[in-house]
Amino acid sequence: MSNHLRTQSLVFGIPWPELNEGLFYSDVVPHSDSELTLIDFYSRKYKNSAPLQGWLQRIQNGQISVDGRVVKDPNTILSGDSVLVYHRLPWKEPDVPHLLEVLYEDDDMVALNKPSGLQVLPGGLFQQRTVLTQLCWSVKKQNSTLNSQETHPVPVHRLGRGTSGILLCAKTKVAKTRLAAYFADGTSRVGATSNRKAERSGTRKISKIYRALVTGILVDDKVIINQPIGIVRYPGVAKGLYVASPSGKPALSKVEVLERDEKQNCTLVQVEIESGRPHQIWIHLSFIGHPLLGDPLYIAGGQPRCFDPELVDESFAQDGGYQRPTNPVPGDCGYYLHAHQLVLSHPTTNEMISITAPLSSILQTSDEANGSLGSMSVNSAN
C-alpha cells in the first residue's frame, strides 16, 4: 500500500460554539419495568446521573417524552416497550483548547499533539469539546468540498485531559483493529510476569515513553514499578476511581531520572509504560512517594487526596444533575505529564515508525533547553 507521509507541521481546529447541542438519551422500557412510574424508572436506573429531586425537575421541565409525547407527571405509569427519550438541554462546556497539531499522517493513521486540558472522548461535562469532535468536524469540512464519504479518524487509546502529547488515531477499520491490539497486547503481556521477564520481552509492537515532573528528589536513577491497579468507590466518579491496590490488575512502569532540581525539590523523569491501565503513571509515581508536580488527585501511596467513599452530595445543579464534586476528580488538570515518544510497527506495512512530540520548557532538561533536542521529529526505518 502506498502511504502518504505528512512531515510538515499542520495545525487544525474550529473554535467551540458558546453552547453545545445538548444530548438525547433513549430507552425502551423492558416488560420487567412495566407498571413503574416515570420517576421510579429514571431515579433507579440513572441514579448516578442525578438525585431524585433532580429527576423530578427534569420531568417537570418537559425534558422527557414517552412514545413521542412530552410527559410532565412524574407518577405516569409506564408500559412495556414504551420508548422514553430524555433531552439533556444544551450547556456551556468549560473553556478548553481547540487547536490540534498533526505530528505524523499517512493513509492509515494520524498522530496528533494533544494539548493539556482537551479531553479525548465525550464524557461528563465535555460532550462536544473533545478531540473526537474536532476530528469529525475536520473531515466534514473537507468533505463539503470533496463530496467524499470518508469517515473521520478515531483515537485508539486515551490520554488524561491534563496530559499532553502524542495521541494515535486510526483512519481505517483495519488500522483501528491492529493498533488497538498493539495497546491491548502490551497490557496483557505484563500479566503476572516478573520484572525480569518483562525486561526480556522484546517483541512488543508499540512503545510509549512519557516525560513527567514529580515532587521530591528520586534517589535511584532507575526504578521499576510493578504495582497492581484497582478500583474503589469515589464521590463524583460513577464507575469508581483507579488506585494502587494489591487486589488490582497487574501494571508495570519503568522510571528513569533525567534531571534533579534540589532547589525546587522536584525531579524530571522519563516513564515507559509496559501496560496501559487508566491513570497508571499518576498512580505509580505517587505510589513510590513522588506524585506528579501539581497532581490534584493522588498522594503518596497511590491513593486519592480526599477519600470518603460513603459521601454523596444529594444537592443538584441547574440542569438537575449532581453538583460538580468539590473533591478532586480524574479530569482535573494542573500536573505535568507529556506523551513524548511513540515507536510502533506500522499497522499495514510493519515498518517501524518513531514519533516525537515537542516538549514544553518545564519538561526539558538543561541540555535540551539550550539546544534543539526537544523539537518535533518523525523517523521511519525498515
Side-chain angles (χ1 to χ4, degrees):
M1 176 177 178
S2 175
N3 289 323
H4 171 67
L5 170 64
R6 175 177 282 123
T7 55
Q8 292 184 338
S9 177
L10 169 72
V11 176
F12 70 95
I14 297 173
W16 307 113
E18 183 71 12
L19 299 177
N20 62 25
E21 298 175 348
L23 293 170
F24 291 88
Y25 300 90
S26 298
D27 283 282
V28 176
V29 179
H31 287 277
S32 59
D33 287 341
S34 62
E35 303 303 318
L36 277 182
T37 63
L38 187 60
I39 185 60
D40 283 343
F41 179 87
Y42 277 101
S43 61
R44 291 180 187 182
K45 186 171 182 179
Y46 297 109
K47 60 183 178 182
N48 288 325
S49 171
L52 175 64
Q53 292 300 317
W55 278 116
L56 282 171
Q57 174 182 292
R58 290 170 171 177
I59 293 170
Q60 293 164 353
N61 280 349
Q63 293 175 242
I64 295 175
S65 65
V66 180
D67 294 327
R69 181 175 60 89
V70 173
V71 174
K72 295 186 177 183
D73 180 1
N75 294 314
T76 299
I77 303 297
L78 299 177
S79 301
D81 294 329
S82 285
V83 177
L84 308 181
V85 177
Y86 158 56
H87 179 204
R88 185 178 179 183
L89 301 176
W91 70 95
K92 185 182 187 305
E93 300 181 14
D95 292 333
V96 297
H98 70 275
L99 294 176
L100 291 161
E101 179 186 13
V102 175
L103 299 174
Y104 173 93
E105 184 175 15
D106 61 27
D107 293 341
D108 300 290
M109 62 184 186
V110 57
L112 305 175
N113 187 12
K114 185 189 85 69
S116 174
L118 182 59
Q119 191 158 297
V120 175
L121 300 175
L125 290 175
F126 298 97
Q127 296 295 326
Q128 183 181 69
R129 300 186 178 191
T130 67
V131 173
L132 186 64
T133 298
Q134 288 292 349
L135 288 170
C136 182
W137 286 353
S138 176
V139 170
K140 284 184 177 179
K141 184 178 180 181
Q142 295 173 22
N143 289 352
S144 65
T145 56
L146 298 177
N147 194 28
S148 168
Q149 298 300 313
E150 181 184 4
T151 58
H152 62 79
V154 292
V156 293
H157 64 111
R158 296 196 189 199
L159 293 179
R161 189 168 80 87
T163 304
S164 58
I166 302 170
L167 178 68
L168 197 59
C169 305
K171 298 174 70 176
T172 67
K173 290 183 178 180
V174 170
K176 179 183 177 182
T177 300
R178 292 181 180 173
L179 291 173
Y182 290 177
F183 285 97
D185 181 62
T187 298
S188 64
R189 281 177 181 275
V190 172
T193 59
S194 66
N195 291 351
R196 187 169 148 194
K197 288 181 181 177
E199 288 279 7
R200 269 203 316 263
S201 176
T203 59
R204 288 185 299 141
K205 294 281 191 176
I206 195 163
S207 176
K208 299 164 285 183
I209 296 177
Y210 291 73
R211 189 71 66 94
L213 192 61
V214 304
T215 57
I217 304 299
L218 268 74
V219 176
D220 297 328
D221 290 338
K222 294 185 178 182
V223 180
I224 293 179
I225 308 170
N226 193 2
Q227 169 60 39
I229 293 174
I231 301 178
V232 296
R233 289 184 60 195
Y234 187 79
V237 184
K239 296 182 180 179
L241 180 70
Y242 290 92
V243 298
S245 170
S247 62
K249 295 182 179 180
L252 180 67
S253 302
K254 299 176 182 178
V255 182
E256 181 177 346
V257 171
L258 299 178
E259 203 163 77
R260 298 178 177 90
D261 188 338
E262 301 276 355
K263 186 176 180 181
Q264 299 295 328
N265 191 36
C266 59
T267 305
L268 184 64
V269 299
Q270 172 178 291
V271 184
E272 181 178 4
I273 56 173
E274 302 243 343
S275 51
R277 305 296 178 198
H279 316 319
Q280 178 173 321
I281 295 178
W282 289 20
I283 295 168
H284 273 181
L285 290 172
S286 64
F287 177 75
I288 63 172
H290 296 280
L292 292 169
L293 185 65
D295 182 355
L297 182 57
Y298 294 101
I299 57 174
Q303 300 300 312
R305 187 177 303 275
C306 304
F307 185 52
D308 183 355
E310 303 304 322
L311 178 63
V312 178
D313 182 2
E314 290 290 339
S315 63
F316 56 94
Q318 186 176 357
D319 70 345
Y322 287 107
Q323 295 281 6
R324 191 199 182 285
T326 55
N327 53 288
V329 293
D332 291 344
C333 303
Y335 55 91
Y336 297 96
L337 179 61
H338 181 72
H340 180 40
Q341 295 176 319
L342 187 69
V343 178
L344 75 155
S345 173
H346 193 278
T348 59
T349 68
N350 292 321
E351 180 183 20
M352 292 307 296
I353 305 293
S354 177
I355 305 169
T356 302
L359 292 164
S360 62
S361 59
I362 197 169
L363 291 176
Q364 292 180 353
T365 64
S366 299
D367 288 342
E368 288 168 340
N370 294 328
S372 59
L373 297 179
S375 60
M376 180 190 77
S377 65
V378 177
N379 300 302
S380 60
N382 293 323

